[in-house]
Each structure stands twice: as C-alpha cells, then as structure tokens.
Amino acid sequence: QVQLVESGGGLVQAGGSLRLSCTASGRTFSSYGMGWFRQAPGKEREFVAAIKWSDIYADSVKGRFIISRDNAKNTVYLQMNSLKPEDTAVYYCAAAYGAWQGISSVDYWGQGTQVTVSS
C-alpha cells in the first residue's frame, strides 16, 4: 500500500507560480511512475504531467509546468509557472507501478490539493 500526500496548493494571481509536492510512503518509490492530474468543477479529471525516467506533459501546460522527482525523498514536484485562471482545479498526485500508461495504469491517488488562479 502506498499513501500519497500532496501539499503546496493555494490562491495565486494570474501570471504567478506555485509548486506542488507529493510525498509517498513506502520503500519502492523509484519503481513507480508518478503523475499529476487535475479536476475542475463540472469537468472530468484530466492528465497534467507524468515522470518515470523522462517527463511528459499535456499540451495545455507544456512550457509552463515542470514535473520532477527526488527518489531519495520519495517526493514528486509540479512547478507551475505563468498560471492562468483556467488552471484552477483540484490537483491530484498519482502513482503507477512500473511503466506509466495513463490514467488506466494508476494504482494510487492522493487526496488532492486546491489551486485557484485569480484573474
């Protein structure tokens, strides 16, 4: 069992930055592909970014968000720059054992952290 705990959400003005963190329990963190998803009110949960040995991004955040991981700290980060009001959502950390193959491969979810971007 892996528990994921997110932190770092909050309220920021458009154009600002936030860094989300997700810390995982357990001793096999490096074996997991780690990702971030987000869900805005009335919308489906959507992919944001993921990382195992390389990183991938949704087109909507490419060039603005950076995902990284520190295996020694069991932590994955999402640096969010040039934030827009449309980035407002609950952001969820996700872990997939082995290769990252999208939302269907996710084994564990965090509880979510709210990000609100004001215009």
Side-chain angles (χ1 to χ4, degrees):
Q1 188 77 6
V2 173
Q3 290 186 323
L4 305 174
V5 179
E6 299 113 330
S7 61
L11 173 64
V12 64
Q13 288 189 331
S17 298
L18 281 175
R19 188 176 81 155
L20 305 182
S21 300
C22 171
T23 300
S25 63
R27 293 176 287 180
T28 59
F29 179 75
S30 61
S31 299
Y32 286 84
M34 300 298 298
W36 290 93
F37 290 79
R38 66 187 182 187
Q39 188 166 18
K43 294 188 177 181
E44 293 187 354
R45 192 169 297 191
E46 65 175 5
F47 170 75
V48 176
I51 185 169
K52 182 92 184 271
W53 297 287
S54 60
D55 49 353
I56 55 175
Y57 299 91
D59 287 343
S60 59
V61 306
K62 201 172 293 183
R64 300 188 298 122
F65 290 10
I66 301 171
I67 189 171
S68 61
R69 64 189 296 162
D70 185 337
N71 289 337
K73 295 183 178 180
N74 280 17
T75 300
V76 62
Y77 304 97
L78 185 68
Q79 178 66 43
M80 304 185 294
N81 301 319
S82 301
L83 282 161
K84 305 174 181 179
E86 51 263 44
D87 294 318
T88 296
V90 177
Y91 283 70
Y92 295 92
C93 178
Y97 187 78
W100 181 269
Q101 296 182 23
I103 195 170
S104 62
S105 66
V106 172
D107 297 301
Y108 302 101
W109 292 94
Q111 82 286 356
T113 185
Q114 177 70 46
V115 171
T116 303
V117 184
S118 63
S119 57

